[in-house]
Amino acid sequence: IKNNSKTMLEKRNHLIDCLMNSKLGDRLHIKNHDTGMNMLAKFDSNTSGFELSKLALANGVKIFELSKFILQPNPLLPQNAFVFGYAGLSNDEIEKAVEKLELAWHDK
């Protein structure tokens, strides 16, 4: 268990570093990064989360808006909050996914 926790911590930190050092970094606000194999991030954009998800998927990145996981609308839920899953990805795959996301969202 300790080895798995260390691996997840390293992957999470690598994802955070890649995101924050990308062109999107100044528009991303990471939340709940200590939740295990997923983390939440809010992306500052006037484009809807649905459209951002579609753009990401069209560029090869599967990312889900947090609203997909709730049963009823919640006014406290921030707009464009996304769940980032990284457990099954290698560091190389994380880097490539961030590059693709950067391309998808760069002008949004």
Side-chain angles (χ1 to χ4, degrees):
I1 292 176
K2 285 183 182 181
N3 190 33
N4 190 38
S5 294
K6 182 181 176 203
T7 300
M8 288 300 109
L9 177 65
E10 289 170 355
K11 284 184 182 192
R12 182 198 71 208
N13 289 341
H14 186 65
L15 174 59
I16 290 171
D17 288 343
C18 288
L19 288 168
M20 292 294 97
N21 291 320
S22 75
K23 294 176 183 173
L24 305 175
D26 60 339
R27 297 171 60 198
L28 279 167
H29 306 281
I30 296 175
K31 314 256 185 211
N32 296 23
H33 56 77
D34 291 329
T35 58
M37 296 182 280
N38 300 294
M39 69 178 192
L40 302 177
K42 180 185 177 304
F43 183 62
D44 290 335
S45 175
N46 291 328
T47 304
S48 73
F50 176 76
E51 186 65 28
L52 290 169
S53 292
K54 280 181 27 179
L55 288 167
L57 187 58
N59 281 277
V61 179
K62 191 185 295 185
I63 189 168
F64 298 101
E65 190 179 11
L66 183 57
S67 64
K68 292 273 189 195
F69 298 96
I70 62 171
L71 297 175
Q72 53 188 330
N74 183 340
L76 300 176
L77 186 68
Q79 181 182 357
N80 296 340
F82 293 90
V83 177
F84 286 76
Y86 50 86
L89 301 175
S90 69
N91 283 347
D92 287 341
E93 290 170 322
I94 289 171
E95 291 165 15
K96 288 176 185 169
V98 170
E99 288 172 10
K100 290 176 182 180
L101 192 61
E102 192 176 43
L103 288 172
W105 290 1
H106 77 280
D107 62 348
K108 300 298 173 207

